[in-house]
Amino acid sequence: MRVHRLDRITPQVRLVELRDPDGRGLPPAEPGAHIDLHLPDGAVRSYSLCGDPADRQAYRIAVLNVPGGRGSGFVHGELALGADLTISPPRNNFHFDDAARYLFVAGGIGITPLLPMIRRAVNKGADWVLHYCVRSAAAAPFLDDLRALPHGHVDLHAADEGQRLAVDELMASTPVDVPIYCCGPQRLMEAVAAAARPDQDVRFEWFTPRPEPARQDFADNSFDVVCARSGITVTVPAGTSILDALYAAGVEIDSSCEQGVCGTCETTVLEGEPDHRDSVLSDAERAAGKTMMLCVSRARSTRLVLDV
């Protein structure tokens, strides 16, 4: 992929537009999807696509300049117009479903996966409300674009003006038939998760591992993994991830973040009970136990059979 556009849209956010150098169409990307950016030093960083999902000619990402960040340091300090980059195909752990109306809650750069969702809602004629939490209006990416969209409105909560979001009140007043999509700093998402009622449909995009409750029922004991396609059985010792144990046995698995947030290593479970520790699967998906993230999750049973 080639950098076709490189703009500074706020003092600390750069917009990067990527296109195929030969002008070929790109794989489709649904709202909420992200791509992995392969950095020159070998690191891989995930960024949400913030462009129009209907545009098959370009992928757009917006990158916040984070002090000490490897990905942001490269994008803000080294990346040049016309540069060639290696990326992954789009993946989506943050699915956007049909509804008559929506509630979106964004914090800062967390607006990036929500912007294509809001555009899709507009195209469907659905009603929407965005609560946008930022340090200041000047630091809010895409604010003017959002305010220009029909069928909804933006409530800006700028910290420098003392306009903080009352999360508990918002969640208590949101009807059960309104899906809620949230992305932003971990503190904001934890507050939304804590205030959500059990009957509310709340979905998150976590870029750092979400907090897990203290575990007292299942320790990090060893267990066996049967690789159904590879035909081998691997013992996963305590303190070793399934991913690392399979690598050591010569079983190659695609992976990226190795923190349970990107979904790259999601694998089908054929038998056994996973001990889910990722930040990707919903509670319902965890309960179903049909897939698991091999980088962080373990086993509640003494044996797992995986489709690898």
Side-chain angles (χ1 to χ4, degrees), residues 275-298:
D275 179 12
H276 297 290
R277 304 186 182 189
D278 65 276
S279 302
V280 174
L281 298 176
S282 67
D283 290 342
E285 290 169 328
R286 288 185 173 199
K290 294 181 178 179
T291 66
M292 65 185 299
M293 308 301 155
L294 303 189
C295 62
V296 293
S297 297
R298 300 187 66 78

mmCIF file of all heavy atoms in Angstrom, residues 275-298:
data_model
loop_
_atom_site.group_PDB
_atom_site.id
_atom_site.type_symbol
_atom_site.label_atom_id
_atom_site.label_comp_id
_atom_site.label_asym_id
_atom_site.label_seq_id
_atom_site.Cartn_x
_atom_site.Cartn_y
_atom_site.Cartn_z
ATOM 1 N N ASP A 275 -10.749 -20.957 28.771
ATOM 2 C CA ASP A 275 -10.750 -19.953 29.843
ATOM 3 C C ASP A 275 -10.417 -18.631 29.167
ATOM 4 O O ASP A 275 -9.260 -18.283 28.974
ATOM 5 C CB ASP A 275 -9.710 -20.319 30.902
ATOM 6 C CG ASP A 275 -9.645 -19.294 32.031
ATOM 7 O OD1 ASP A 275 -10.553 -18.445 32.107
ATOM 8 O OD2 ASP A 275 -8.692 -19.344 32.820
ATOM 9 N N HIS A 276 -11.451 -17.872 28.784
ATOM 10 C CA HIS A 276 -11.274 -16.671 27.966
ATOM 11 C C HIS A 276 -10.675 -15.526 28.779
ATOM 12 O O HIS A 276 -11.170 -15.180 29.852
ATOM 13 C CB HIS A 276 -12.616 -16.226 27.382
ATOM 14 C CG HIS A 276 -13.224 -17.214 26.449
ATOM 15 N ND1 HIS A 276 -12.712 -17.493 25.203
ATOM 16 C CD2 HIS A 276 -14.328 -18.019 26.590
ATOM 17 C CE1 HIS A 276 -13.464 -18.409 24.612
ATOM 18 N NE2 HIS A 276 -14.435 -18.738 25.422
ATOM 19 N N ARG A 277 -9.630 -14.910 28.210
ATOM 20 C CA ARG A 277 -8.979 -13.779 28.873
ATOM 21 C C ARG A 277 -8.707 -12.648 27.885
ATOM 22 O O ARG A 277 -7.850 -11.807 28.126
ATOM 23 C CB ARG A 277 -7.677 -14.231 29.529
ATOM 24 C CG ARG A 277 -7.881 -15.397 30.508
ATOM 25 C CD ARG A 277 -6.627 -15.754 31.253
ATOM 26 N NE ARG A 277 -6.876 -16.900 32.143
ATOM 27 C CZ ARG A 277 -6.013 -17.335 33.053
ATOM 28 N NH1 ARG A 277 -4.847 -16.719 33.204
ATOM 29 N NH2 ARG A 277 -6.310 -18.370 33.813
ATOM 30 N N ASP A 278 -9.429 -12.653 26.788
ATOM 31 C CA ASP A 278 -9.226 -11.658 25.745
ATOM 32 C C ASP A 278 -10.120 -10.440 25.968
ATOM 33 O O ASP A 278 -10.945 -10.413 26.883
ATOM 34 C CB ASP A 278 -9.548 -12.269 24.378
ATOM 35 C CG ASP A 278 -11.026 -12.641 24.280
ATOM 36 O OD1 ASP A 278 -11.399 -13.747 24.733
ATOM 37 O OD2 ASP A 278 -11.808 -11.811 23.787
ATOM 38 N N SER A 279 -9.936 -9.451 25.105
ATOM 39 C CA SER A 279 -10.764 -8.243 25.137
ATOM 40 C C SER A 279 -11.550 -8.084 23.850
ATOM 41 O O SER A 279 -11.958 -6.976 23.497
ATOM 42 C CB SER A 279 -9.879 -7.002 25.360
ATOM 43 O OG SER A 279 -9.143 -7.101 26.548
ATOM 44 N N VAL A 280 -11.773 -9.191 23.137
ATOM 45 C CA VAL A 280 -12.423 -9.168 21.832
ATOM 46 C C VAL A 280 -13.820 -9.766 21.886
ATOM 47 O O VAL A 280 -14.799 -9.152 21.444
ATOM 48 C CB VAL A 280 -11.569 -9.919 20.788
ATOM 49 C CG1 VAL A 280 -12.309 -10.017 19.460
ATOM 50 C CG2 VAL A 280 -10.232 -9.232 20.602
ATOM 51 N N LEU A 281 -13.946 -10.975 22.419
ATOM 52 C CA LEU A 281 -15.218 -11.696 22.383
ATOM 53 C C LEU A 281 -16.232 -11.080 23.341
ATOM 54 O O LEU A 281 -15.886 -10.611 24.423
ATOM 55 C CB LEU A 281 -14.995 -13.160 22.753
ATOM 56 C CG LEU A 281 -14.085 -13.974 21.824
ATOM 57 C CD1 LEU A 281 -13.896 -15.378 22.375
ATOM 58 C CD2 LEU A 281 -14.639 -14.017 20.411
ATOM 59 N N SER A 282 -17.496 -11.108 22.920
ATOM 60 C CA SER A 282 -18.581 -10.672 23.799
ATOM 61 C C SER A 282 -18.830 -11.740 24.855
ATOM 62 O O SER A 282 -18.339 -12.876 24.766
ATOM 63 C CB SER A 282 -19.853 -10.445 22.977
ATOM 64 O OG SER A 282 -20.330 -11.677 22.453
ATOM 65 N N ASP A 283 -19.633 -11.396 25.851
ATOM 66 C CA ASP A 283 -19.977 -12.373 26.888
ATOM 67 C C ASP A 283 -20.683 -13.575 26.286
ATOM 68 O O ASP A 283 -20.450 -14.718 26.688
ATOM 69 C CB ASP A 283 -20.850 -11.712 27.960
ATOM 70 C CG ASP A 283 -20.081 -10.714 28.805
ATOM 71 O OD1 ASP A 283 -18.830 -10.779 28.810
ATOM 72 O OD2 ASP A 283 -20.722 -9.869 29.467
ATOM 73 N N ALA A 284 -21.561 -13.327 25.303
ATOM 74 C CA ALA A 284 -22.277 -14.431 24.658
ATOM 75 C C ALA A 284 -21.316 -15.324 23.882
ATOM 76 O O ALA A 284 -21.439 -16.560 23.893
ATOM 77 C CB ALA A 284 -23.357 -13.885 23.729
ATOM 78 N N GLU A 285 -20.348 -14.720 23.187
ATOM 79 C CA GLU A 285 -19.368 -15.504 22.438
ATOM 80 C C GLU A 285 -18.473 -16.297 23.380
ATOM 81 O O GLU A 285 -18.089 -17.434 23.085
ATOM 82 C CB GLU A 285 -18.536 -14.583 21.548
ATOM 83 C CG GLU A 285 -19.324 -13.999 20.380
ATOM 84 C CD GLU A 285 -18.580 -12.901 19.668
ATOM 85 O OE1 GLU A 285 -17.812 -12.160 20.321
ATOM 86 O OE2 GLU A 285 -18.781 -12.760 18.448
ATOM 87 N N ARG A 286 -18.142 -15.713 24.511
ATOM 88 C CA ARG A 286 -17.344 -16.445 25.498
ATOM 89 C C ARG A 286 -18.122 -17.654 26.016
ATOM 90 O O ARG A 286 -17.578 -18.759 26.148
ATOM 91 C CB ARG A 286 -16.969 -15.531 26.661
ATOM 92 C CG ARG A 286 -15.931 -14.469 26.333
ATOM 93 C CD ARG A 286 -15.542 -13.694 27.575
ATOM 94 N NE ARG A 286 -14.441 -12.779 27.334
ATOM 95 C CZ ARG A 286 -13.674 -12.266 28.286
ATOM 96 N NH1 ARG A 286 -13.917 -12.575 29.561
ATOM 97 N NH2 ARG A 286 -12.679 -11.459 27.998
ATOM 98 N N ALA A 287 -19.396 -17.439 26.319
ATOM 99 C CA ALA A 287 -20.216 -18.530 26.851
ATOM 100 C C ALA A 287 -20.374 -19.650 25.833
ATOM 101 O O ALA A 287 -20.390 -20.832 26.189
ATOM 102 C CB ALA A 287 -21.580 -17.998 27.273
ATOM 103 N N ALA A 288 -20.452 -19.296 24.550
ATOM 104 C CA ALA A 288 -20.603 -20.313 23.506
ATOM 105 C C ALA A 288 -19.346 -21.157 23.365
ATOM 106 O O ALA A 288 -19.419 -22.354 23.051
ATOM 107 C CB ALA A 288 -20.944 -19.652 22.173
ATOM 108 N N GLY A 289 -18.176 -20.554 23.591
ATOM 109 C CA GLY A 289 -16.925 -21.298 23.570
ATOM 110 C C GLY A 289 -16.531 -21.867 22.223
ATOM 111 O O GLY A 289 -15.776 -22.837 22.143
ATOM 112 N N LYS A 290 -16.991 -21.243 21.130
ATOM 113 C CA LYS A 290 -16.702 -21.783 19.798
ATOM 114 C C LYS A 290 -15.351 -21.330 19.257
ATOM 115 O O LYS A 290 -14.771 -21.982 18.397
ATOM 116 C CB LYS A 290 -17.818 -21.390 18.828
ATOM 117 C CG LYS A 290 -19.167 -22.035 19.158
ATOM 118 C CD LYS A 290 -20.227 -21.633 18.150
ATOM 119 C CE LYS A 290 -21.555 -22.312 18.470
ATOM 120 N NZ LYS A 290 -22.617 -21.913 17.502
ATOM 121 N N THR A 291 -14.866 -20.178 19.732
ATOM 122 C CA THR A 291 -13.553 -19.694 19.334
ATOM 123 C C THR A 291 -12.830 -19.148 20.556
ATOM 124 O O THR A 291 -13.452 -18.903 21.601
ATOM 125 C CB THR A 291 -13.627 -18.576 18.266
ATOM 126 O OG1 THR A 291 -14.244 -17.408 18.831
ATOM 127 C CG2 THR A 291 -14.411 -19.032 17.042
ATOM 128 N N MET A 292 -11.511 -18.918 20.408
ATOM 129 C CA MET A 292 -10.731 -18.351 21.503
ATOM 130 C C MET A 292 -9.499 -17.658 20.925
ATOM 131 O O MET A 292 -9.093 -17.915 19.794
ATOM 132 C CB MET A 292 -10.306 -19.431 22.501
ATOM 133 C CG MET A 292 -9.345 -20.462 21.946
ATOM 134 S SD MET A 292 -8.973 -21.812 23.100
ATOM 135 C CE MET A 292 -8.237 -20.925 24.474
ATOM 136 N N MET A 293 -8.904 -16.761 21.725
ATOM 137 C CA MET A 293 -7.674 -16.081 21.358
ATOM 138 C C MET A 293 -6.502 -16.817 22.000
ATOM 139 O O MET A 293 -6.403 -16.889 23.229
ATOM 140 C CB MET A 293 -7.692 -14.616 21.812
ATOM 141 C CG MET A 293 -8.913 -13.838 21.368
ATOM 142 S SD MET A 293 -9.112 -13.786 19.584
ATOM 143 C CE MET A 293 -10.895 -13.525 19.486
ATOM 144 N N LEU A 294 -5.612 -17.344 21.165
ATOM 145 C CA LEU A 294 -4.557 -18.215 21.660
ATOM 146 C C LEU A 294 -3.440 -17.470 22.378
ATOM 147 O O LEU A 294 -2.644 -18.090 23.080
ATOM 148 C CB LEU A 294 -3.964 -19.019 20.499
ATOM 149 C CG LEU A 294 -4.943 -19.880 19.704
ATOM 150 C CD1 LEU A 294 -4.174 -20.771 18.736
ATOM 151 C CD2 LEU A 294 -5.828 -20.722 20.616
ATOM 152 N N CYS A 295 -3.385 -16.152 22.227
ATOM 153 C CA CYS A 295 -2.269 -15.419 22.832
ATOM 154 C C CYS A 295 -2.433 -15.225 24.330
ATOM 155 O O CYS A 295 -1.438 -15.109 25.053
ATOM 156 C CB CYS A 295 -2.081 -14.074 22.138
ATOM 157 S SG CYS A 295 -3.495 -12.952 22.264
ATOM 158 N N VAL A 296 -3.673 -15.177 24.827
ATOM 159 C CA VAL A 296 -3.877 -14.902 26.255
ATOM 160 C C VAL A 296 -4.782 -15.913 26.951
ATOM 161 O O VAL A 296 -4.661 -16.114 28.163
ATOM 162 C CB VAL A 296 -4.455 -13.482 26.472
ATOM 163 C CG1 VAL A 296 -3.439 -12.415 26.087
ATOM 164 C CG2 VAL A 296 -5.764 -13.298 25.712
ATOM 165 N N SER A 297 -5.699 -16.526 26.230
ATOM 166 C CA SER A 297 -6.669 -17.416 26.863
ATOM 167 C C SER A 297 -6.054 -18.786 27.128
ATOM 168 O O SER A 297 -5.091 -19.202 26.484
ATOM 169 C CB SER A 297 -7.922 -17.553 25.996
ATOM 170 O OG SER A 297 -8.563 -16.304 25.857
ATOM 171 N N ARG A 298 -6.656 -19.494 28.089
ATOM 172 C CA ARG A 298 -6.138 -20.797 28.481
ATOM 173 C C ARG A 298 -7.276 -21.818 28.456
ATOM 174 O O ARG A 298 -8.217 -21.661 27.670
ATOM 175 C CB ARG A 298 -5.475 -20.702 29.860
ATOM 176 C CG ARG A 298 -4.300 -19.716 29.865
ATOM 177 C CD ARG A 298 -3.537 -19.731 31.159
ATOM 178 N NE ARG A 298 -2.850 -20.998 31.401
ATOM 179 C CZ ARG A 298 -1.712 -21.353 30.808
ATOM 180 N NH1 ARG A 298 -1.135 -20.556 29.923
ATOM 181 N NH2 ARG A 298 -1.136 -22.506 31.102
#
